[in-house]
Amino acid sequence: MKTRSYIILVIALVLLPLVALSAWGLHLLLEQEKETQLQGIEEKTRSIALAIDQELADAEGALRVIAQTDHMHREDFASVYALMKRTITTSDSWAVIYDGNGDMLAHTHHPFKSQLSEPSNEWVPAAIALQKPSVSNLREGRAGKWKVVSVNIPVTTSTGKKFLLAHTFHANHFTKLLHRKDMSDTWVVGVFGSDGITIARNLREKEFTGTPVKPQLFDASVNQWSGRIENFTRDGFWAYNAFTHTSRANWTVAIAAPMSEINRSARTATLYAALALCLVLGCAVVGITIFARRITGSFNLTLAAAKALELGGIPQPKTSGVLEADRLQRALQEAGIKLTEENQARKRLEQERERLLHSEQEARRLAENQNTAKDEFLAMLAHELRNPLSPIAAAAELLKLAGKNEKILQQSSDIIVRQVGQLKSLIDDLLDVSRVTRGLVVLDKNKVDIISVVSVAIEQARPLIEARGHDLHLHMRSSHAAVMGDETRLIQVVTNLLNNAAKYTPQGGQITLTVEAQAYEVKLSVADNGIGIEQELLPHVFELFRQAQRTPDRSQGGLGLGLALVRSIMSLHGGRVEAESPGKEKGARFTLYLPLLGTGHGETDLTDESLGASIAPVRLMIVDDNVDAAQTLANLLSAKGHSVVIRNDAKSTIEYSQTDPLALYILDIGLPDMDGYELARRLRKSSATANATLIALTGYGQTHDKESALAAGFDDHFVKPMDIEALDKILASKSPLGFEDTVSHSDQASEHHIG
């Protein structure tokens, strides 16, 4: 049988069942596409219902907080009015206080004690009688000016009187919520209450708000929590109508999507699928036909090509039963054997050539790298030895000039002895430079004063700085700051940075060395106004043997090892180094960060000029059952010059404050014996601390948490961790309460100029 006959038979056996299955599949696709869109509409109704529930929950939460305040229990409606006006009043919502008879006592859109009237308030006693939060259906607003809904909280005061707090929303509030949802412009979205009256609508809202919905939709919402129906809408079209209820109120959210739109979309998708299927089937038929014709022709062409390549000794192929295929097998077998042998031989030759070429390139690269590494190492060695040799040479010159000046002789001798020790240490390290750059050097760590390190480093770098006529400005913003480290290595780091600045700054430049202590680390920076660092080189300045293009004015520059050693040594100390430069000819800054070493419980090794120098001292108390957190914050505030008392429970706080009141209290909310809200209320009631500043410090930062803090009497609310800058502003604005002793700083910031 010929190939063409096989192909025709395959077409008949495959295409006919495929067409039948495709038709059934398209029908299923149509239904599935429509169902998918309807499920999307149902998801959208649930999303809107959740958004409405969130609005109502927020309103109820705010009312609950206000209802629990002392002002409300004491019937201090002026204070309650002020709190409601500040926290829950917007342009389209307001708060109202009703008495048990339904009379309006306060309305936050009107001044307090205004003459207010609201007709038909029979619903108020009923809402109070529920003795639980409730949400109203749509009703007339005050004087019938607009349609409103409200979230209601009944309250019984300490005198036994009953009142109702209501957070009232204009119906337009929920209409705006509907407009924020991403939906088709043709969909009608509505919200109606348990009475079937429309509360909000995205289309024609002025016409239909306050009117009943279609009976068919209302009946379905009564019988089911959620579902869908088909009905003729009030907007004049047939629609698929999906609905669901809200959880906070017995309201229903409904979306009406035109049937024509949903069906058209489904039909369009199905039509595209049908067209694609027809196109595939058509292409298959055309392709098979062309392929059948080409197979016969290709057999003859391949046979002719195979015979042209034939050299003899052809093995007999197996018979396939197809005449053209048998001929193709014989021709391809004859040509294939020879082509395979030739290809294998050619591939072996190419692989061998690639191997030899790669070996040659690798050997050349290795030789170049080794030669470069040798030159760079020798240059680096000379660069590093110059650092201690400079002060030795200067001291030797002083010895020539000193005569019998014992002081100069002693100083010069000390310099030489110290620098010879440094020289020996550097030589030992440079003999094993690979250990240093890989971080394998063992540090001799002890308590080190950074100020001492800076002094020695300046001494080592001074000859080069003076030789190039630079001005060195020294800003000591901490009189002493201790770290745990290897003093020799740290001196080496600072000296490298100073020498680096001196070398790459033109004659008569400016170099600034700044030392300051931050909360947990010491910051040391060396800045210059020299040639700067190009942006392309900046990310690589700490890599081994990396430097900018050498120019004549940089004849004293190193070959890149100095900064690599700086980064390696800082890493071994648990610190870091950063480089920054605005660009070429704009100077550079290198900054070191080292962990600060504490000197004892509740003390620190430094007094920072920036810590509280401009803030008058304040007596304050930190109340927190987390001892470490309280002590850490107290240490920081003490360093800023303030007087801090720590207590870990409410009882001891109250007892201490009765005999020695303070100006400011920072209270944790989650205390073991009494929460921070109650503690704040008691401090406010006490005459000794009634005027103190109370700050809430808590891990909870939602809106209702802040409202609870303000209602309890707090002046400010902070979320952990404490915002120190904001706290400084509060401390700066407070007058000290009973602070009789002035705070003295024995370690004041200093600023020096060398040049």
Side-chain angles (χ1 to χ4, degrees), residues 501-658:
K503 293 171 185 176
Y504 296 111
T505 300
Q507 195 79 14
Q510 301 287 330
I511 300 174
T512 302
L513 192 156
T514 304
V515 179
E516 60 180 328
Q518 299 177 337
Y520 304 104
E521 59 188 2
V522 177
K523 176 181 176 182
L524 187 151
S525 63
V526 177
D528 62 66
N529 62 344
I531 65 172
I533 305 172
E534 296 180 355
Q535 295 304 307
E536 295 79 7
L537 180 63
L538 192 58
H540 307 289
V541 293
F542 295 109
E543 295 178 7
L544 192 62
F545 304 133
R546 291 298 296 266
Q547 65 173 4
Q549 183 66 34
R550 181 181 293 276
T551 56
D553 64 331
R554 295 179 59 204
S555 58
Q556 297 189 53
L559 292 179
L561 182 61
L563 291 179
L565 288 173
V566 167
R567 182 175 66 175
S568 178
I569 294 172
M570 290 300 293
S571 177
L572 292 173
H573 281 81
R576 66 188 189 280
V577 58
E578 297 176 356
E580 54 184 305
S581 173
K584 191 174 181 180
E585 305 300 336
K586 295 182 180 180
R589 179 187 300 274
F590 291 87
T591 305
L592 306 177
Y593 296 91
L594 282 167
L596 188 63
L597 177 64
T599 60
H601 187 67
E603 298 180 358
T604 182
D605 273 336
L606 57 103
T607 299
D608 192 336
E609 182 180 344
S610 64
L611 298 179
S614 62
I615 300 177
V618 175
R619 294 188 70 232
L620 61 101
M621 177 182 288
I622 298 172
V623 184
D624 195 334
D625 60 337
N626 187 326
V627 178
D628 292 338
Q631 187 64 57
T632 302
L633 181 57
N635 291 345
L636 177 59
L637 295 178
S638 297
K640 290 174 177 284
H642 303 293
S643 177
V644 184
V645 177
I646 298 176
R647 287 295 179 270
N648 304 119
D649 57 72
K651 181 180 179 182
S652 61
T653 299
I654 295 172
E655 292 175 352
Y656 186 96
S657 299
Q658 294 302 315

Side-chain angles (χ1 to χ4, degrees), residues 11 14-26 277-278 281 285:
I11 292 174
V14 173
L15 290 185
L16 291 178
L18 181 60
V19 170
L21 290 174
S22 298
W24 175 248
L26 290 174
L277 178 61
C278 292
L281 292 176
V285 172

